[in-house]
Amino acid sequence: MTVGIVVVSHSSKIAEGAVELAAQMAPDVELVAAGGTDDARIGTSLEKVLAAVEQSLIDAGGDGVVVLTDLGSAVMTAESAIEFASDPDAILLADAPLVEGLVAAAVAAQGGAGVEEVRKAAEAVGFRASTDTEASAGTDTPASTDAPDAAGDFELINPMGIHARPAAKIAGGLSGLDAEVTINDVDGTSMMALMTLAAGQGATLRVEARGKDAAKAVQYVGRLVREGFGEM
């Protein structure tokens, strides 16, 4: 079993599409879409979300459930569903952008992360993306000048380089480790930052990590690169 994930959106098409996308990167994770109202209009339904949460609790087999939402009232509906659920303590609501957070959470769950780590993976996307945007705009975001605890250089061999799926695998896996990781000087746990590298086949990724799991983080990225992110 893995942590279950529920997607709450005002639109059934958005919820189902987001689930379809994440399932491509996390085929073993139980993803449940709960979009739209009971009569297929735009909005959210407490009954529909509660049913999705209960189904996810069963599918997860006790490993817990993370809920992601889109717009404001979806958050309130999700909070109510959690309150009425049979095991509210096993359900965590993530404060994260729906699509990017879902992909990061799904990849983390696919890698065996626990429910709290899966929520953190989703929320790290939003926080780090904001930081990256500020950095690119020229604000002061000093890079660490300390020597890394572990480092490595890895040449990309997969045909498409760093696109959405590899970026999600890297960011999702690193988010569960106790380490600060940069890849070519951007945050390794930020899917959006990794994609802005536009690193294609033949490019080299410079991985630098600091912290308890530094060596593990570098090994993780190195293994993904050598395996071509499962695309070869």
Side-chain angles (χ1 to χ4, degrees), residues 14 32 90 109 187 229:
I14 289 177
V32 182
D187 186 347
F229 300 96

Side-chain angles (χ1 to χ4, degrees), residues 9 13-14 29 35 38 52 57 64 67 81 86 110 112 136 140 144 159 168-169 179 183 198 207 209 217:
S9 171
K13 291 182 179 178
I14 289 177
V29 178
D38 296 332
L57 281 170
V67 180
S86 58
Q110 179 72 29
S136 64
D140 293 333
S144 173
K169 286 187 174 182
I183 298 178
V207 184

Side-chain angles (χ1 to χ4, degrees), residues 114-170:
V115 64
E116 183 61 43
E117 287 71 28
V118 170
R119 177 171 71 170
K120 288 180 178 178
E123 294 181 342
V125 171
F127 175 75
R128 301 297 171 82
S130 175
T131 301
D132 297 336
T133 301
E134 292 176 2
S136 64
T139 57
D140 293 333
T141 307
S144 173
T145 57
D146 297 335
D149 296 317
D153 296 295
F154 308 101
E155 182 178 332
L156 292 169
I157 61 173
N158 62 310
M160 299 296 290
I162 301 297
H163 58 93
R165 186 178 295 108
K169 286 187 174 182
I170 293 173

Side-chain angles (χ1 to χ4, degrees), residues 138-209:
T139 57
D140 293 333
T141 307
S144 173
T145 57
D146 297 335
D149 296 317
D153 296 295
F154 308 101
E155 182 178 332
L156 292 169
I157 61 173
N158 62 310
M160 299 296 290
I162 301 297
H163 58 93
R165 186 178 295 108
K169 286 187 174 182
I170 293 173
L174 292 180
S175 64
L177 299 178
D178 185 6
E180 294 183 3
V181 185
T182 61
I183 298 178
N184 291 8
D185 296 326
V186 305
D187 186 347
T189 64
S190 170
M191 179 180 168
M192 295 175 65
L194 291 171
M195 291 178 65
T196 64
L197 291 175
Q201 187 180 39
T204 297
L205 299 184
R206 173 65 178 176
V207 184
E208 295 187 349

Side-chain angles (χ1 to χ4, degrees), residues 1-5 28-32 52-66 90 115:
M1 298 294 180
T2 63
V3 171
I5 300 176
D28 298 324
V29 178
E30 296 293 341
L31 302 161
V32 182
V53 167
E54 291 293 346
Q55 181 61 52
S56 194
L57 281 170
I58 295 171
D59 293 341
D63 287 347
V65 172
V66 172
V115 64

Side-chain angles (χ1 to χ4, degrees), residues 46 49 69 74-84 93:
L46 175 60
V49 176
T69 66
V75 177
M76 293 185 285
T77 303
E79 289 174 337
S80 297
I82 294 171
E83 183 179 349
F84 287 113
L93 182 61

